[in-house]
Amino acid sequence: MLKIAVFRALQLGDLLCAMPAIAALKFNYPESTLYFIGLPHMGPLLKRFDCADEFIAFPGHPELPCNPLALADFVKRMQAEKFDLLLQLQGNGTIVNDFLKNFGAKRLVGFRPIGSRQDSDWMEYPAKLDEDDRHLALS
């Protein structure tokens, strides 16, 4: 079974903007197990949606607007999950792309900063699109 994870560690409005893309992933990969990695207080809200099978609380990162708690243990846990696919839905990736590589997913895809080195797994951040449309373009 395919293990897909989505990383989006921002607040309520940001989560809601990502929901159409997350729902599209689950629709297109119904047999997969879809994990959502986000801020701890988003767990109860995510349970109200049918598109994510598992919620993983993200403890934080020094460069993100949350408190870093047990980050090394969290990364070890993510490595143990052995995700087949990890999607980065955290903005243009300036802060998190290198960090997410530590999870050891078989494939990591997401946004890259405008003008950065091209790579088939990274989509240049479409700043002119509305946020929910950005995520749908990636998914």
Side-chain angles (χ1 to χ4, degrees):
M1 180 178 294
L2 193 64
K3 291 177 76 171
I4 300 173
V6 173
F7 182 85
R8 181 75 172 169
L10 294 169
Q11 302 301 330
L12 176 62
D14 302 297
L15 172 63
L16 294 176
C17 286
M19 289 314 296
I22 296 166
L25 281 169
K26 191 59 180 177
F27 178 81
N28 287 309
Y29 299 95
E31 300 299 319
S32 69
T33 301
L34 184 61
Y35 297 77
F36 182 87
I37 305 167
L39 297 177
H41 61 276
M42 293 297 166
L45 176 65
L46 204 61
K47 287 180 184 177
R48 295 184 167 268
F49 294 93
D50 272 349
C51 49
D53 301 304
E54 300 284 337
F55 175 78
I56 299 174
F58 175 62
H61 183 278
E63 295 184 59
L64 296 177
C66 46
N67 291 326
L69 304 170
L71 192 56
D73 289 339
F74 174 78
V75 170
K76 286 179 187 174
R77 178 180 174 211
M78 295 300 93
Q79 291 168 344
E81 289 290 348
K82 299 187 184 310
F83 296 119
D84 295 296
L85 176 64
L86 173 59
L87 278 88
Q88 181 279 103
L89 296 181
Q90 185 77 21
N92 72 6
T94 303
I95 296 172
V96 299
N97 286 355
D98 287 337
F99 170 68
L100 293 178
K101 290 175 184 175
N102 294 315
F103 289 19
K106 290 179 185 169
R107 189 166 183 202
L108 172 60
V109 301
F111 296 117
R112 62 178 171 79
I114 294 170
S116 63
R117 184 179 64 84
Q118 292 188 0
D119 182 319
S120 62
D121 284 342
W122 297 99
M123 179 181 190
E124 187 170 83
Y125 188 72
K128 293 181 181 179
L129 291 177
D130 290 332
E131 191 162 2
D132 52 343
D133 290 331
R134 280 183 216 139
H135 301 306
L136 285 169
L138 183 63
S139 68

